[in-house]
Amino acid sequence: MDNDTSEFILSEFSEIWELQIMHMALLLILYLMTLSGNLVIISAIVFDQHLHTPMYFFLLNLAIQDIGSISVIVPKAVFNSLMNVRTISHSGCVAQVMFFFFFTACDVYLLTVMAYDRYIAICNPLHYEMIMNRNACTKMIGGVWTASLLNASLHSTVTFMTPFCSNIIDQFYCEIPYLLKIACPGLYVSETGVIIFSSALAVGCFIFVLVTYVRVFSAVLRIPSVEGRTKAFSTCLPHIIVFFIFLFTASFAYLRDISDSTPDLDFIITIMYSIVPPMMNPLIYSLRNKDIKLSLSRLYSHMTLHFKAI
């Protein structure tokens, strides 16, 4: 079979019906948690003028991208389980690879930009408004979206230019390593090179984030207030941990040999890098924030008064 095939056959979660339902229910619960958490953040930032600042502008984009990345794969997987079907069209598979890579790359690049934003806010607060002005923030976000789109286009183009010798994908969505697994022998070298290049970029972003937060920690240690140091550490450390979990599991998923992998291990790894970070980001970056809590309280009060008036 070559790459003009009309459809691919995706893997089931399990051959046992009860386990199939359990996997599907788990995915659905995680999806709804991620969706609701990020929608709450978007609503708070959009409707509260007090949150129209660079930091919350970046958080707004992060929430949008998190919803996008998880919505690309989970609804289709849940639908397939409910309808007991396993197929996805060729164009649907291309779109899934394209958009998943796009939103995932956006997350990596945006978290890097957000680390820089926190560095300027803590280490150079007197020049923060001048450096992180509206024009600079817009250019940063434009760069994030543009670089992610180019990255995703490159991956999807190179992957689907490769002739496939089978149409059975051993994963519940179209994931590049499993597409390369069914590629004809010796014809997937280009995409492997692209994956290694993208992984190197992601590791570079992580090193930048790590170095940035080390400098932030150094500045925080000079804060005389114990409460101020505790707050800064409790904010920065979870950022690094989630970013590390995402990059480690994603790199492991894309660079490992999947020929002898088990379905359970594949499922766990997929959850860890594609679903857990979008679910955790609202909790780490936003919902513990006092400004967000205050904004949600005002929004809730306004909605309550509105419904009472009706």
Side-chain angles (χ1 to χ4, degrees):
M1 188 189 86
D2 53 24
N3 62 348
D4 62 354
T5 303
S6 60
E7 64 181 18
F8 293 95
I9 299 175
L10 300 173
S11 175
E12 296 177 300
F13 291 124
S14 173
E15 294 181 356
I16 302 173
W17 174 246
E18 289 78 6
L19 291 178
Q20 176 89 347
I21 293 299
M22 185 184 72
H23 283 79
M24 184 269 293
L26 175 62
L27 274 184
L28 185 59
I29 291 171
L30 294 177
Y31 176 70
L32 292 177
M33 290 173 60
T34 304
L35 189 65
S36 57
N38 283 287
L39 284 176
V40 165
I41 301 306
I42 292 172
S43 301
I45 296 174
V46 168
F47 292 109
D48 193 336
Q49 295 289 331
H50 299 89
L51 301 184
H52 292 182
T53 63
M55 182 178 74
Y56 295 109
F57 176 62
F58 295 140
L59 286 175
L60 173 65
N61 279 269
L62 182 66
I64 293 172
Q65 291 159 10
D66 283 340
I67 290 175
S69 65
I70 198 170
S71 296
V72 169
I73 60 174
V74 174
K76 173 63 176 175
V78 171
F79 175 81
N80 281 3
S81 292
L82 290 175
M83 302 304 294
N84 197 26
V85 296
R86 296 171 54 193
T87 59
I88 183 171
S89 66
H90 181 272
S91 58
C93 194
V94 173
Q96 209 169 52
V97 169
M98 173 77 176
F99 285 108
F100 181 71
F101 237 97
F102 170 70
F103 288 117
T104 303
C106 275
D107 263 16
V108 174
Y109 302 148
L110 184 55
L111 290 173
T112 306
V113 170
M114 289 170 63
Y116 175 73
D117 173 72
R118 291 299 83 205
Y119 166 74
I120 298 297
I122 294 174
C123 299
N124 200 1
L126 297 179
H127 297 92
Y128 178 77
E129 291 186 4
M130 181 180 67
I131 296 173
M132 302 301 294
N133 56 64
R134 181 183 295 272
N135 186 45
C137 293
T138 303
K139 287 182 178 179
M140 289 180 185
I141 291 299
V144 166
W145 289 86
T146 302
S148 301
L149 182 60
L150 291 175
N151 194 353
S153 300
L154 179 62
H155 277 284
S156 56
T157 300
V158 174
T159 298
F160 288 95
M161 283 176 59
T162 305
F164 297 108
C165 291
S166 172
N167 69 335
I168 301 176
I169 302 174
D170 293 329
Q171 181 61 289
F172 66 87
Y173 71 100
C174 290
E175 192 176 22
I176 288 179
Y178 294 90
L179 287 167
L180 298 184
K181 184 179 178 180
I182 63 174
C184 295
L187 297 177
Y188 54 84
V189 177
S190 297
E191 175 56 20
T192 302
V194 173
I195 288 177
I196 294 174
F197 175 71
S198 295
S199 299
L201 286 179
V203 171
C205 289
F206 178 71
I207 292 173
F208 176 84
V209 171
L210 195 61
V211 171
T212 300
Y213 278 127
V214 167
R215 299 189 67 177
V216 169
F217 289 153
S218 299
V220 167
L221 289 174
R222 295 193 292 270
I223 297 176
S225 168
V226 176
E227 182 181 352
R229 291 199 301 268
T230 303
K231 180 181 178 181
F233 279 120
S234 66
T235 300
C236 296
L237 281 176
H239 298 189
I240 297 176
I241 292 171
V242 171
F243 201 8
F244 176 77
I245 290 174
F246 168 75
L247 286 184
F248 177 78
T249 53
S251 298
F252 184 69
Y254 277 77
L255 299 178
R256 70 192 173 108
D257 181 11
I258 61 173
S259 57
D260 297 324
S261 62
T262 62
D264 289 339
L265 177 62
D266 293 340
F267 183 78
I268 292 172
I269 292 173
T270 299
I271 293 294
M272 289 299 293
Y273 86 87
S274 63
I275 296 178
V276 170
M279 182 180 66
M280 294 298 294
N281 282 339
L283 298 175
I284 290 175
Y285 289 96
S286 303
L287 294 179
R288 298 188 307 152
N289 185 292
K290 290 183 179 179
D291 292 335
I292 291 287
K293 290 179 180 178
L294 184 59
S295 174
L296 291 175
S297 177
R298 286 196 294 260
L299 184 61
Y300 176 76
S301 298
H302 178 75
M303 291 177 61
T304 302
L305 291 175
H306 177 73
F307 283 120
K308 285 182 178 179
I310 295 176

